[in-house]
Amino acid sequence: MKSFSTAVAAVHLILPIFLFENVVYSFSSPSRSLKYGLSSSTRHSSFRKRRHGVERSAGKSPIDSKPLIEDEEQNNSQLQHSQTSITRRSVLLTSAAASLTLFSLIQSSPAVAAAPLEELSLGTATWSDAADASQPSSSIPLSAQIVPPSFATYLARFLLHYDKGASNWWDDQSDTYSLLASYEAKKREGKSFGSYASSIRKGLYSYVSGNDESNIRSYSKVRDQYSTLFSSLTDKYGNEQGAIRDIALLFAMLPAIYQPTELLLNTDKGAITATGTNKGTNAQNFSPNFQEDFTLLLPSKYDVLYNESTKSFTITPIINLFEIGINEDSKSPAIATTFGPLSSKPLSRERNLTLDVYALLGISGGAGCALTHSLVIPLDVVKTRIQTNPGQYNGVFDGAATITKEEGLSALYLGAQATIAGYSWYGISVYPSYAFFKRFIGEQVLSSAFAVAHSTEIALAAGALASVIASLGLTPLEACRIRTVAQPEIYRDLGLIGTLNVIGSEDSELGWKNLYAGLPSLMTRQVIFGSVKFLAFERASEAIFSVWPELRDATYTALGVSLVAGGISGILSSVVSQPADSVLTYVSKQSSSGSTLTFAKTMIDEEGVGSLFRGLGSRSVWAGCIIAGQFLLYDVFRAFFGISGDDLNQVFEVVLPKNM
């Protein structure tokens, strides 16, 4: 059980270390900064010019890139064949291969396999899109006694034993939960049975009540429908040993006015008393685990008895058919019966996602990320200036004021093109990729039992893989953003395309690959941050909804949960990734090479363990706000496009033929 957890943990440890090592070599040359994408000599000289108030003429043409190229060649004569370029190329090609195979994987992913439950013999059983289901998921009120809850739950048990499709489905459900702790497995089985019984009850209600519920006010019409149902059950399952007895017990649970009395009286008395092979039937009394094992039927001591005075059948000895409302404080009530729970909502599952759904997820993610990061471009500019030239500004507010005074208000929006393009790509790629990898790993790579038991590890792995793909497009755009912010006198007028061309032509040996000089560094942060971000968001949302389930019922409250859970996700992601970010920042300032662990140890020796978490407070607030905004807008756009909630779910429906 723990092998997969260990493997995922190892990947999360080894991958950052692997990337850290390459960052060290990349930063060992001061003219090849992976973090900033510009030479240190050029960077410092440009800042010295700004300090002395050197202003760029409005009509001055963009600087020629040739001196930059010559400076690169002079200071990096050994770089062209170094380990850095090889490692960068290896990382880039591997990541690109993963990205290119994503599309083919989506296309080759099979549709949701036909579940055994669809082979249910009782009627036509189908999985329908929840949004297009014949009835809303909350369906019939639990108070509608035309189909008593005990009747529905015992029929659900009956089918689990006598119906091949239902029996196979339940075996699959039990296998799915087999690797969970006993308590958790029983809890999930109870929820599955309650929803499955609800689907059965919905089908019964639609059948018995007739078209437009026209039978509800007529006892005789309801009785006729139950009579037809009795005949159908005996025809389909009557040859099974003990089935007639259980069918008779089932219909004896109906109110007297609904019972098919004549049919019961004409049924063979020997068949009614004959017990079958069910474990519960072979016992004299209720098994201690009767409320947990939903395949057990009534013990052999129970029989049906015709009461002459009431002209109806009863169960003897008398059984307490209790029906108790549970979760009554929420808007999703359920009923606890003698034979198990009955949910107010039918059985559901996630439907297979098609290319158009993934495309809409990407558009939703891209719009959410672009809008969120567009709002904080000025803060990004100040932060980048502080990072690239420490000591120039006394904090964020001083930096913003100084930049505005010396360079104008427009300077606070430097790199806006790269920011919007970069985080549009990030959202377009990371959100659908996470949805795909989570389903692909859980449904195609691993067994259902293993996937359920290791859902946390799957979420981490899916988040990491999605972050790798997102990093491929974000890296060159982030390099352009940083150069534009750090050296506006060179890159401001070039625009995004011009800056990309300059960076791509600086090294004649690397060419366009030079745009990916910062890939290991950025990917390290994104893998750690992104994997935790999605997992934390999902767990926070689940925790909130488990305490206040009614928050699901209104769009604005559900979006409020997304906002809060997103904030929690951003903070937790910052805490987890902070040591890696601190070490990377430290490594970027060193001129000597060495292992990442060596630099981490040096940091701790010189400044203490706290140095690994320097700036955690401000970074956590920043990330909490950004990620909260991302998930909020992502869910807003998903709701707008109709790809949230029930739009991506299917419900199990049973349609009983009118003339059974």
Side-chain angles (χ1 to χ4, degrees):
M1 282 181 62
K2 296 182 179 180
S3 59
F4 185 65
S5 306
T6 305
V8 171
V11 170
H12 273 76
L13 289 174
I14 294 173
L15 182 59
I17 292 175
F18 169 77
L19 296 177
F20 282 155
E21 294 292 342
N22 294 292
V23 173
V24 171
Y25 286 112
S26 299
F27 278 115
S28 61
S29 174
S31 63
R32 172 89 45 195
S33 174
L34 294 187
K35 183 174 183 181
Y36 307 126
L38 61 150
S39 66
S40 59
S41 59
T42 305
R43 183 169 67 251
H44 292 310
S45 64
S46 68
F47 280 121
R48 283 194 297 270
K49 291 179 181 178
R50 279 202 299 275
R51 279 181 184 155
H52 290 87
V54 177
E55 297 180 356
R56 187 166 181 243
S57 301
K60 189 175 180 180
S61 59
I63 189 170
D64 187 4
S65 61
K66 184 175 180 180
L68 293 177
I69 299 173
E70 293 175 350
D71 184 60
E72 291 282 341
E73 294 174 350
Q74 181 179 0
N75 292 323
N76 298 281
S77 58
Q78 297 179 353
L79 181 64
Q80 296 175 358
H81 304 289
S82 68
Q83 183 178 355
T84 304
S85 63
I86 297 174
T87 302
R88 185 185 308 114
R89 181 165 58 251
S90 300
V91 174
L92 179 59
L93 292 177
T94 302
S95 303
S99 181
L100 290 174
T101 56
L102 177 60
F103 180 78
S104 60
L105 286 174
I106 293 175
Q107 286 190 313
S108 62
S109 295
V112 177
L117 200 53
E118 294 178 86
E119 302 171 3
L120 190 72
S121 299
L122 179 63
T124 303
T126 59
W127 288 95
S128 306
D129 288 345
D132 301 327
S134 59
Q135 295 182 9
S137 59
S138 56
S139 71
I140 59 175
L142 290 172
S143 59
Q145 291 301 307
I146 191 173
V147 182
S150 293
F151 183 89
T153 51
Y154 195 72
L155 176 58
R157 283 183 179 245
F158 174 90
L159 294 173
L160 290 183
H161 179 70
Y162 291 106
D163 188 275
K164 182 179 179 181
S167 177
N168 290 338
W169 168 77
W170 190 250
D171 289 341
D172 290 345
Q173 288 293 108
S174 299
D175 290 342
T176 298
Y177 304 138
S178 61
L179 298 182
L180 296 174
S182 177
Y183 169 78
E184 182 64 22
K186 294 300 180 184
K187 179 181 176 182
R188 296 200 186 192
E189 284 183 355
K191 288 184 177 181
S192 294
F193 178 84
S195 297
Y196 151 73
S198 179
S199 291
I200 298 297
R201 191 178 189 227
K202 277 186 61 180
L204 289 173
Y205 181 83
S206 297
Y207 170 74
V208 173
S209 63
N211 295 329
D212 299 324
E213 300 182 330
S214 57
N215 295 342
I216 289 181
R217 293 176 177 83
S218 173
Y219 294 147
S220 61
K221 289 183 178 180
V222 172
R223 185 167 55 250
D224 290 344
Q225 293 296 90
Y226 273 121
S227 297
T228 306
L229 177 63
F230 178 89
S231 300
S232 177
L233 290 175
T234 54
D235 290 342
K236 294 178 185 297
Y237 308 107
N239 292 330
E240 297 288 337
Q241 184 180 351
I244 297 298
R245 170 183 175 271
D246 287 309
I247 292 172
L249 288 168
L250 173 67
F251 282 86
M253 300 175 192
L254 288 172
I257 54 176
Y258 295 152
Q259 288 183 9
T261 307
E262 293 298 325
L263 293 176
L264 283 167
L265 286 172
N266 294 329
T267 302
D268 182 73
K269 299 298 186 290
I272 287 181
T273 58
T275 58
T277 59
N278 185 268
K279 292 182 294 182
T281 300
N282 291 327
Q284 281 294 317
N285 296 297
F286 281 108
S287 171
N289 67 334
F290 187 83
Q291 280 287 324
E292 297 178 348
D293 188 345
F294 301 107
T295 63
L296 299 179
L297 297 173
L298 282 173
S300 59
K301 73 174 184 178
Y302 292 98
D303 292 308
V304 293
L305 178 68
Y306 182 69
N307 189 320
E308 289 287 351
S309 61
T310 62
K311 304 298 182 181
S312 64
F313 283 84
T314 59
I315 298 177
T316 182
I318 297 175
I319 184 173
N320 179 21
L321 299 178
F322 65 83
E323 297 171 356
I324 303 173
I326 55 178
N327 296 332
E328 293 178 340
D329 58 329
S330 73
K331 295 184 180 180
S332 300
I335 286 182
T337 74
T338 306
F339 309 113
L342 176 65
S343 175
S344 64
K345 296 186 177 182
L347 191 65
S348 64
R349 70 180 185 186
E350 289 185 337
R351 71 178 175 91
N352 189 52
L353 301 187
T354 55
L355 280 174
D356 59 324
V357 174
Y358 282 115
L360 290 175
L361 290 175
I363 293 173
S364 300
C369 291
L371 287 174
T372 304
H373 282 272
S374 295
L375 295 175
V376 294
I377 288 176
L379 190 54
D380 261 341
V381 170
V382 177
K383 284 180 59 182
T384 301
R385 287 283 182 88
I386 292 175
Q387 289 176 337
T388 55
N389 195 34
Q392 183 178 359
Y393 309 109
N394 296 321
V396 174
F397 293 106
D398 177 66
T402 303
I403 293 172
T404 303
K405 180 179 179 180
E406 295 181 355
E407 304 175 48
L409 186 62
S410 62
L412 293 177
Y413 292 90
L414 289 168
Q417 286 182 327
T419 298
I420 295 173
Y423 284 97
S424 293
W425 160 258
Y426 177 84
I428 289 172
S429 59
V430 79
Y431 285 96
S433 295
Y434 174 75
F436 168 76
F437 283 120
K438 186 179 178 182
R439 286 164 175 78
F440 182 78
I441 295 172
E443 296 172 6
Q444 306 299 323
V445 177
L446 304 175
S447 67
S448 58
F450 206 76
V452 169
H454 297 279
S455 58
T456 296
E457 290 85 349
I458 291 174
L460 287 172
L465 290 170
S467 298
V468 168
I469 292 177
S471 298
L472 295 178
L474 186 59
T475 298
L477 295 169
E478 184 69 2
C480 292
R481 184 192 71 82
I482 292 175
R483 288 210 185 189
T484 302
V485 174
Q487 297 175 277
E489 68 280 0
I490 299 177
Y491 298 101
R492 186 203 299 259
D493 292 340
L494 294 179
L496 178 59
I497 302 301
T499 304
L500 286 170
N501 290 332
V502 169
I503 298 175
S505 62
E506 283 179 351
D507 192 309
S508 58
E509 182 72 17
L510 292 176
W512 64 269
K513 298 175 187 177
N514 193 46
L515 291 167
Y516 285 90
L519 179 63
S521 173
L522 186 138
M523 188 180 292
T524 299
R525 291 186 183 88
Q526 291 298 331
V527 165
I528 298 174
F529 190 95
S531 59
V532 176
K533 179 181 81 170
F534 286 105
L535 175 64
F537 175 78
E538 291 179 351
R539 295 297 181 267
S541 298
E542 291 170 1
I544 295 172
F545 283 130
S546 67
V547 178
W548 297 287
E550 64 274 11
L551 295 178
R552 295 181 184 272
D553 300 324
T555 302
Y556 72 93
T557 55
L559 291 176
V561 172
S562 296
L563 183 67
V564 174
I568 295 173
S569 168
I571 293 172
L572 290 178
S573 300
S574 295
V575 173
V576 173
S577 62
Q578 182 63 30
D581 187 74
S582 296
V583 173
L584 282 172
T585 301
Y586 180 81
V587 169
S588 69
K589 300 175 181 177
Q590 307 305 309
S591 58
S592 60
S593 62
S595 69
T596 303
L597 294 178
T598 299
F599 282 118
K601 185 176 183 300
T602 302
M603 287 182 64
I604 296 174
D605 291 341
E606 293 179 354
E607 306 176 57
V609 177
S611 62
L612 296 176
F613 296 91
R614 185 183 295 116
L616 176 60
S618 59
R619 185 167 181 259
S620 296
V621 173
W622 163 267
C625 295
I626 289 292
I627 303 304
Q630 280 185 16
F631 278 112
L632 172 64
L633 293 175
Y634 176 60
D635 284 347
V636 167
F637 283 104
R638 284 182 61 187
F640 175 77
F641 289 125
I643 51 170
S644 62
D646 284 346
D647 299 309
L648 299 182
N649 286 336
Q650 293 178 318
V651 295
F652 179 66
E653 294 189 307
V654 180
V655 179
L656 280 66
K658 298 303 179 183
N659 298 314
M660 298 180 67

